[in-house]
Amino acid sequence: MAKIAHALDWPLVEGVVSDLDGVVYRGKAAIQDAVETFQDWRAAGIPYCFVTNNSTHSAGDVVAKLNSFGLEITEDNVVTSAVTAAQLIRQSHPAGTRIYVIGAPSLKKAIADAELEITDENPAVVIMGLDREITHEKLRIAVDAVLKGAQLMGTNPDLLLPTPTGFEPGAGAILTAVATAARVKPIIVGKPEVHMIEAALSRLGTDRASTLMIGDQIPTDIQAGKRAGLCSVLVTTGVPPVNDPTLQAPDFVISSLKQIPSAR
Ligand SMILES: [Mg+2]
């Protein structure tokens, strides 16, 4: 497991990439220490960017939520899996490429904004995010398209999402159904893959060694941070950590963002 955080072990923090749910808020409630720490970083001129696997909220939704907590940010401070998925598709496909989308309106908008055509007829790519109106018919169209050669892509691999009363299946659970039926390995956009971290780093313009990746989940946030070469910090304000020895451990484990020394 990670070493005990000691002030001298920390890099001089020049930039921050951070998860949202479980780090800055839990559901609708702000995590006050985190909000104040980001306010301090802003005042100190330390740039930061939030990365979220959740494809059901747009960057604008995130801005509105954080602004309501008193944290002044703009859409430049937010990288979503939906927008990253659209950018990733455009890296290898021209405008007008046919895409079948299973997901929330924010995912459909991101795909349409990238000049891709949303259709269930002969798509080149099937992209799947969390869809609370999933049906057998949508799964049938996806499986059939993948069997006919379409690429299968998922916004994120999250299997479970916490709800006020328990859990619900995440995007990864439904993605797995299609991948299993069609016997393919999907391309994953969100954490633990590095696509969103790379997008955030290119916005920050900071050095990897002096940029933190902060998150509450080892399987997604910490793996993505470690793979991208960032100093990876687990904060225990969100989902209870799972101790899986096959996964890379965080560099630091803290219970409040205020434990991060931001200057020497
Ligand atoms: Mg989280």
Side-chain angles (χ1 to χ4, degrees), residues 19-23 25 51 158 191 214-217 220-221 238-239:
D19 178 43
L20 283 166
D21 205 351
V23 175
Y25 51 75
V51 291
D158 302 31
K191 301 168 283 187
I214 302 172
D216 68 317
Q217 297 206 52
T220 49
D221 304 315
V239 172

Side-chain angles (χ1 to χ4, degrees), residues 228-243:
L230 308 192
C231 176
S232 301
V233 182
L234 183 77
V235 60
T236 57
T237 46
V239 172
V242 182
N243 198 358

Side-chain angles (χ1 to χ4, degrees), residues 8-97:
L8 293 178
D9 294 331
W10 288 83
L12 183 63
V13 179
E14 289 178 346
V16 177
V17 181
S18 178
D19 178 43
L20 283 166
D21 205 351
V23 175
V24 184
Y25 51 75
R26 266 186 308 259
K28 292 190 171 130
I31 297 174
Q32 205 51 40
D33 274 13
V35 170
E36 288 171 16
T37 301
F38 278 102
Q39 284 169 333
D40 290 347
W41 281 329
R42 182 182 166 86
I46 295 172
Y48 49 78
C49 190
F50 296 101
V51 291
T52 176
N53 270 4
N54 188 330
S55 68
T56 66
H57 298 305
S58 68
D61 296 334
V62 173
V63 169
K65 184 165 185 171
L66 297 199
N67 285 352
S68 78
F69 297 152
L71 188 54
E72 290 293 321
I73 65 161
T74 69
E75 293 192 16
D76 285 343
N77 299 112
V78 183
V79 172
T80 68
S81 63
V83 170
T84 308
Q87 289 169 344
L88 208 57
I89 293 170
R90 281 307 309 277
Q91 281 175 16
S92 51
H93 295 83
T97 297

Side-chain angles (χ1 to χ4, degrees), residues 137-216:
E137 177 62 3
K138 290 181 183 178
L139 297 177
R140 183 195 66 76
I141 293 167
V143 167
D144 195 50
V146 172
L147 287 174
K148 286 174 176 157
Q151 274 184 329
L152 179 61
M153 186 179 271
T155 56
N156 67 78
D158 302 31
L159 297 175
L160 276 181
L161 301 177
T163 68
T165 54
F167 293 92
E168 64 173 329
I174 308 303
L175 174 68
T176 301
V178 172
T180 305
R183 293 177 181 266
V184 297
K185 189 172 186 290
I187 297 162
I188 301 290
V189 176
K191 301 168 283 187
E193 300 302 327
V194 297
H195 307 293
M196 292 201 302
I197 314 297
E198 296 295 339
L201 277 172
S202 68
R203 292 191 195 180
L204 297 179
T206 51
D207 201 60
R208 287 169 202 267
S210 54
T211 303
L212 303 183
M213 171 67 211
I214 302 172
D216 68 317

